[in-house]
Amino acid sequence: MQRRQIIVVGGGLAGTATALGLARAGFDTLLAAPEPPADKRSSAILGKSLAFIADLGVVEALGEAKAPLAVMRIVDDLGRLFRAPTVEFKASETGLSAFGINALNADIGAALKAVAEKTDNLEIRPVAATGLTLDDDRAVVTLADGTEIAADLVVAADGRRSAMREAAGITAQNWSYPQTAIVLNFEHSRDHGSVSTEFHTRTGPFTQVPLPGRHSSLVWVEDPKLAALYIDLKPDKLSTTIAEKLHWILGDVSADGPIARYPLGGSRVDRLTAKRLALVGEAAHAFPPIGAQGLNLGLRDAEALVNLASQSLDDPGSRLMLSRYEAARRGDVISRTAGVDVLNRSLLMDFLPGQIARSGTMAAMGLVAPLRQFAMREGLVPGAGLTGLPHSVRKWMGGHEAGRDGVEEQGYGRH
């Protein structure tokens, strides 16, 4: 039987980043993952998560295929009696030049793979894992080609329908929302100025996020029946509809490439670990694409696991290491999952006291700078709302003099 110190199952963004981080920490690591399907979505990577992949060399490998996020704007477009004021969260208020970056998932995946292929201690096998047995001394993973491999630790990063999680007997609670996410990229006639705008509508967020040049990505949360109708619109009509929903802030719009749609739902698990097993990414948690929290939460899983395993070099799958991982990640996962769920449901709610409370919260954010700055720091790094941003984040997103276009030069990618 073959043996590795660590086997990571699942080749999505969080899984590949975990395998890369563990290999860089010196562990003999196997990444077992078939080629992922084509993914036209984009992801915003912020704060601590960006610092993690930047230290691995992934941001540098992205090259020009990324756009900075300097401002995040929230606009109340609900059309209700109590309208919240527009709130702008500016990275400069926290002493940063940007909150992070946005890039196409395909480009992030390619950058991760390019770095992984040059990394010692990391073997990539494009084979799915189909079986798992766990005991006190080791875990054994069975691959689709019949190969059995023993390891000290197995990392399940194989998505919200994780076969490894099910084999370990970890249960997941799943729920759905009466919403569908339409995902596409588009070109526009006006510069986005590194500003992301999230319109809160009665059916959910309508969120534009900058891509390089005069391009942006769009996550459009809609009623499922309306989503089906929008997707079937002719390209010109769809582009005009998007521009109207953006209130023409980016001028004329042209939808770029294929359109995808995803039913929205969420999940959470009763525990993040089992004997010789740790869950990361969507194997551990999943929720709607609101507030750029999904991938960032998975990357924080990866960073925590790498750091804690590095403190247990002789046995990275020990009971002590896994208990520390469980304790380190539980609060962040619970709070982010609950926060996104509450925000999403509040947009669908016509309950008047709820509208007043939401509007009041947004007004306070806009008017009270310390409260706004607390929220920004907490969004970038859990726990940093009161303590301040750590050096690792400022290293990659520290403030610099303004560039010629008025947007501060970016600190990410610098050594």
Side-chain angles (χ1 to χ4, degrees):
M1 181 180 294
Q2 300 179 33
R3 185 170 181 87
R4 294 289 189 276
Q5 281 183 289
I6 300 177
I7 301 172
V8 179
V9 177
L13 303 183
T16 305
T18 304
L20 178 55
L22 290 166
R24 286 287 184 88
F27 294 105
D28 179 16
T29 306
L30 172 67
L31 175 60
E35 286 293 324
D39 189 346
K40 296 297 183 181
R41 296 173 295 175
S42 71
S43 291
I45 305 178
L46 312 174
K48 196 176 184 183
S49 300
L50 181 63
F52 173 61
I53 66 165
D55 282 336
L56 296 175
V58 177
V59 175
E60 183 178 358
L62 268 170
E64 299 300 317
K66 61 184 183 295
L69 300 176
V71 178
M72 294 186 178
R73 178 193 297 139
I74 297 178
V75 179
D76 187 333
D77 204 18
L78 292 162
R80 290 173 175 159
L81 179 60
F82 291 93
R83 185 178 186 274
T86 296
V87 180
E88 287 193 348
F89 298 94
K90 299 179 179 179
S92 58
E93 284 193 68
T94 61
L96 302 177
S97 59
F99 293 115
I101 62 171
N102 189 54
L104 296 177
N105 285 4
D107 290 332
I108 300 170
L112 281 163
K113 185 176 180 180
V115 176
E117 289 175 343
K118 299 176 183 177
T119 299
D120 295 334
N121 303 320
L122 179 57
E123 179 189 358
I124 303 173
R125 292 195 195 182
V127 181
T130 57
L132 174 69
T133 58
L134 303 170
D135 60 37
D136 291 333
D137 297 325
R138 67 177 186 177
V140 177
V141 173
T142 303
L143 302 181
D145 60 8
T147 303
E148 291 188 338
I149 308 174
D152 297 321
L153 172 66
V154 174
V155 181
D158 49 342
R160 64 177 67 192
R161 296 182 179 86
S162 170
M164 298 297 98
R165 183 189 66 214
E166 292 183 5
I170 299 175
T171 59
Q173 178 184 351
N174 300 293
W175 63 91
S176 61
Y177 298 99
Q179 298 163 296
T180 292
I182 303 171
V183 179
L184 57 90
N185 304 314
F186 63 96
E187 187 175 1
H188 37 83
S189 61
R190 296 178 185 167
D191 290 335
H192 50 55
S194 300
V195 178
S196 173
T197 303
E198 181 170 290
F199 293 90
H200 287 178
T201 77
R202 286 176 177 268
T203 58
F206 183 91
T207 308
Q208 164 267 333
V209 191
L211 288 171
R214 291 187 174 181
H215 292 81
S216 292
S217 58
L218 180 69
V219 179
W220 175 359
V221 178
E222 189 55 88
D223 175 271
K225 293 180 180 179
L226 289 175
L229 295 176
Y230 283 129
I231 286 176
D232 287 338
L233 289 176
K234 292 182 178 179
D236 289 348
K237 179 61 176 175
L238 176 63
S239 296
T240 300
T241 300
I242 293 170
E244 290 173 347
K245 286 184 170 290
L246 287 168
H247 297 274
W248 299 94
I249 61 173
L250 295 176
D252 293 328
V253 161
S254 177
D256 181 16
I259 304 169
R261 59 175 168 171
Y262 305 89
L264 291 195
S267 69
R268 58 174 171 261
V269 296
D270 59 349
R271 53 197 170 99
L272 297 171
T273 60
K275 288 181 182 178
R276 301 285 168 183
L277 178 77
L279 308 183
V280 304
E282 289 198 341
H285 42 73
F287 42 77
I290 297 174
Q293 290 300 311
L295 177 58
N296 286 282
L297 196 61
L299 291 175
R300 292 201 295 273
D301 295 340
E303 181 190 31
L305 188 63
V306 171
N307 289 340
L308 291 168
S310 297
Q311 299 171 28
S312 184
L313 294 174
D314 292 338
D315 187 359
S318 68
R319 185 184 301 271
L320 177 61
M321 194 288 294
L322 290 167
S323 67
R324 286 175 173 171
Y325 176 71
E326 181 87 37
R329 297 303 303 140
R330 174 61 61 179
D332 188 17
V333 170
I334 290 175
S335 63
R336 302 294 163 144
T337 303
V340 169
D341 181 65
V342 168
L343 176 58
N344 189 43
R345 293 184 189 278
S346 74
L347 300 178
L348 303 174
M349 181 175 60
D350 285 322
F351 185 51
L352 186 58
Q355 295 178 32
I356 296 172
R358 180 185 170 278
S359 298
T361 300
M362 294 302 295
M365 288 283 189
L367 294 172
V368 182
L371 179 60
R372 189 170 60 251
Q373 291 160 11
F374 171 89
M376 288 187 283
R377 291 193 299 268
E378 193 66 27
L380 292 173
V381 180
L386 294 174
T387 62
L389 295 172
H391 171 73
S392 61
V393 171
R394 294 194 177 279
K395 170 185 174 182
W396 294 106
M397 295 177 292
H400 298 281
E401 293 181 1
R404 286 174 298 179
D405 61 358
V407 176
E408 291 175 324
E409 295 177 7
Q410 307 309 312
Y412 57 79
R414 297 175 69 250
H415 294 276

